[in-house]
Amino acid sequence: MDNVYLLRKLEESSGYYHQSFSNRYMNWKRFYSISRIFLKALKRNKGKVEVLKVLDAGCGDGWMIYKLKSEFSDEFKLNFTGVDISGLDINFADKRREYFSYDDCEFKLMDLNSLSFKDEEFDIIICSEVIEHLKNPEILIRGLFKALKKGGVVILTTPQKGGS
């Protein structure tokens, strides 16, 4: 079963042109918006710490982490942590990490209602299109800000009604 899932996810992630245009556009638009804010946060923190710690809360299969890593890791030293409630997605993200031998990424199975990180552990936290799925989003928001370093940045997105 694990290999079947891995094959399906690889096909899905490489089948970019099999997605509808609107899905591709929305993913690009979301990444573009997040990456602009992410870059500002990176520049603001450059030189303050040697390695910037980034959390993706609700990372799914890690696509955002890998996209940000490929975009910004040449210029900035980044350490990524991704958490999600889906064991299948975390497994896939981890398999990809192992395949590419990325030692600056880690993925953990975790419920966003009970984040288990040290206080002030992350410089940047991303939580994209997750909060609208939670019954009590304030629990997540408190957990994110507890894990955020003073002066850090939380990038929180949610889809708008109508998909724009």
Side-chain angles (χ1 to χ4, degrees):
M1 170 102 172
D2 187 37
N3 289 335
V4 171
Y5 175 75
L6 184 59
L7 287 172
R8 183 180 66 78
K9 289 300 284 184
L10 285 170
E11 287 171 357
E12 187 178 292
S13 66
S14 65
Y16 175 80
Y17 291 103
H18 295 128
Q19 295 180 20
S20 71
F21 174 77
S22 60
N23 283 347
R24 284 182 293 173
Y25 174 73
M26 292 311 296
N27 283 337
W28 171 83
K29 187 176 175 183
R30 179 166 47 134
F31 175 75
Y32 179 76
S33 298
I34 290 170
S35 67
R36 285 186 18 230
I37 298 165
F38 190 76
L39 180 59
K40 285 180 185 177
L42 292 175
K43 287 180 177 179
R44 194 175 79 207
N45 284 295
K46 192 171 186 172
K48 292 182 182 178
V49 292
E50 188 174 327
V51 177
L52 292 166
K53 293 186 73 177
V54 180
L55 171 65
D56 186 356
C59 68
D61 66 6
W63 78 271
M64 180 70 71
I65 286 175
Y66 291 119
K67 194 120 172 79
L68 290 169
K69 179 177 176 33
S70 69
E71 188 84 16
F72 298 109
S73 284
D74 287 343
E75 187 177 348
F76 301 93
K77 290 187 180 181
L78 304 169
N79 185 294
F80 291 95
T81 300
V83 297
D84 202 278
I85 197 166
S86 169
L88 291 174
D89 280 343
I90 291 297
N91 181 275
F92 178 72
D94 230 12
K95 296 270 188 216
R96 186 186 291 176
R97 181 193 56 76
E98 289 171 12
Y99 179 80
F100 289 109
S101 300
Y102 292 146
D103 58 356
D104 54 0
C105 298
E106 69 175 322
F107 297 93
K108 299 178 180 183
L109 186 63
M110 192 178 295
D111 185 337
L112 296 180
N113 287 315
S114 54
L115 294 174
S116 58
F117 295 108
K118 294 182 272 182
D119 291 0
E120 299 184 25
E121 186 169 345
F122 296 98
D123 299 288
I124 303 170
I125 297 176
I126 300 165
C127 186
S128 181
E129 302 197 16
V130 173
I131 200 161
E132 68 274 9
H133 300 286
L134 302 176
K135 189 181 274 189
N136 298 307
E138 61 278 356
I139 295 170
L140 170 62
I141 292 171
R142 277 194 297 271
L144 295 178
F145 280 94
K146 185 178 178 195
L148 185 67
K149 290 181 182 177
K150 285 185 180 14
V153 174
V154 172
I155 303 169
L156 182 70
T157 69
T158 187
Q160 294 178 359
K161 186 175 183 179
S164 58

